[in-house]
Amino acid sequence: MKPLDAHTLEFGSLGDERGQLISLETVAQIPFQINRVYFIYANRDGVRRGFHAHRKLKQVAVCVNGACKFDLFDGVEKKTINLDLPTKGLYIGNVIWREIYDFSPNCVLMVIASEIYDETDYIRDYEQFMELARRFNS
Ligand code: T46
């Protein structure tokens, strides 16, 4: 059985007397070629997002401001990750169901992606996800 393909990453901050700066580069900090970046912010109170997996896409999520939580499930193993620091990233491999919740009012969630946007890469149907996950993750 494969372990759940998601883990946290620790980013070094280049701080000086003026403040902090974090640089994220392909390979050095991000374990794939970066092809897209998007931001999620101004979420309504109590909202949950995600509810899908990806066939091919790999991503790194970072709360550059505020905090939120990720529930991850590969069809066998579950993990909950609390993102609450700009120095903490979450790498998520493919065929992993994700739900994102507990967004703080000031949360800005930056997501770095390995591919450009492609709706056909999404598995939004839970039964379809479970069927693929059984083959892919066990
Ligand atoms: C993920 C979690 C963490 C685009 O047109 N381009 C894009 O790059 C993205 C990410 C989305 N969209 C469109 C698709 C929908 O019409 O924006 C709308 C909202 O996207 P979605 O409902 O997929 O948002 P979330 O927050 O449920 O999921 C997003 C990402 O889509 C997903 O890959 O892992 O954030």
Side-chain angles (χ1 to χ4, degrees):
M1 195 178 80
K2 288 198 261 175
L4 189 142
D5 186 22
H7 56 266
T8 55
L9 301 166
E10 178 78 29
F11 306 131
S13 186
L14 306 165
D16 60 26
E17 66 284 355
R18 297 168 298 172
Q20 302 298 319
L21 186 156
I22 294 173
S23 168
L24 303 178
E25 293 183 3
T26 296
V27 179
Q29 289 84 17
I30 305 299
F32 49 74
Q33 179 73 43
I34 299 168
N35 274 307
R36 177 168 52 111
V37 177
Y38 60 91
F39 300 88
I40 295 171
Y41 63 100
N43 289 293
R44 288 235 178 113
D45 197 29
V47 83
R48 288 180 83 96
R49 306 188 64 122
F51 297 92
H52 62 260
H54 286 282
R55 296 172 202 282
K56 188 172 159 207
L57 187 73
K58 296 174 171 56
Q59 303 194 100
V60 171
V62 189
C63 273
V64 294
N65 198 49
C68 70
K69 291 190 183 115
F70 274 72
D71 278 353
L72 304 171
F73 180 47
D74 68 358
V76 181
E77 194 182 337
K78 287 186 177 179
K79 228 182 219 184
T80 296
I81 304 287
N82 189 20
L83 285 184
D84 53 359
L85 289 169
T87 51
K88 187 175 177 182
L90 169 62
Y91 167 83
I92 311 173
N94 40 37
V95 195
I96 296 179
W97 192 262
R98 80 276 327 260
E99 295 178 18
I100 312 136
Y101 59 104
D102 277 3
F103 292 95
S104 62
N106 60 346
C107 178
V108 180
L109 176 64
M110 176 178 75
V111 184
I112 298 165
S114 65
E115 314 293 331
I116 59 166
Y117 178 70
D118 175 8
E119 183 57 37
T120 68
D121 189 68
Y122 284 70
I123 310 162
R124 296 192 185 269
D125 178 83
Y126 192 74
E127 294 310 314
Q128 201 186 341
F129 159 72
M130 283 304 292
E131 190 168 326
L132 185 61
R134 265 192 286 273
R135 282 187 276 130
F136 188 81
N137 291 325
S138 55

